[in-house]
Amino acid sequence: MNNEQDCVVISSAGPVVHSDRGFLLRPSGVTDKTAGTVGLSMHYGTLPPATKITPHYHPYESIAFTVSGSNRVYFGPKLEKFIDLHPGDFIYIPANALHSPENLSADVPSEYILSRAAPDEIILYPETQPATESQ
């Protein structure tokens, strides 16, 4: 097999992007823009203390690994279920699954690594979806 594409190293030393939805991401993750990926991406993020991310979903599968801190991830059509995550835990989030992570600590940030089955982040929010007409 002859593959001419080079391997790419992405430095995590870049600035942190503050989201108005509660989370922090470093824009230097591995994406289509930084490494030319086609079907996957990965980011390192931080969830500030006592922060709950706005409920959202993605049109692809995701896997998150908890590096530090303790999180609770609410999920389900009405966010009626939850699972607690601790350092060393992985969570699989199916495509289109509504979810909302929350940092349970009042004073310690939570760090995570997020892998996606897409070349970059696509976040969809229920409130931005077109209204359906009742019949």
Side-chain angles (χ1 to χ4, degrees):
M1 182 171 164
N2 185 8
N3 188 345
E4 297 284 328
Q5 189 172 357
D6 291 333
C7 294
V8 178
V9 174
I10 309 300
S11 173
S12 64
V16 174
V17 175
H18 296 264
S19 162
D20 63 347
R21 302 288 184 152
F23 57 90
L24 307 174
L25 280 178
R26 296 184 187 279
S28 58
V30 178
T31 68
D32 56 346
K33 293 172 194 67
T34 62
T37 62
V38 177
L40 59 95
S41 60
M42 183 177 278
H43 277 89
Y44 164 79
T46 303
L47 187 55
T51 300
K52 187 174 182 182
I53 296 177
T54 303
H56 64 281
Y57 60 98
H58 311 277
Y60 46 75
E61 298 172 299
S62 301
I63 297 172
F65 174 76
T66 304
V67 175
S68 67
S70 295
N71 298 317
R72 175 167 287 166
V73 179
Y74 297 89
F75 62 97
K78 297 182 189 277
L79 301 172
E80 70 278 9
K81 303 175 193 174
F82 68 86
I83 192 164
D84 290 339
L85 301 172
H86 305 284
D89 289 344
F90 288 89
I91 184 171
Y92 165 73
I93 302 171
N96 301 308
L98 185 65
H99 58 285
S100 177
E102 176 181 24
N103 184 339
L104 297 176
S105 174
D107 55 359
V108 177
S110 173
E111 298 175 298
Y112 58 92
I113 297 172
L114 183 60
S115 179
R116 304 177 191 90
D120 206 352
E121 172 111 290
I122 300 170
I123 304 173
L124 302 170
Y125 301 97
E127 73 270 16
T128 61
Q129 297 305 301
T132 57
E133 296 180 3
S134 58
Q135 297 180 343

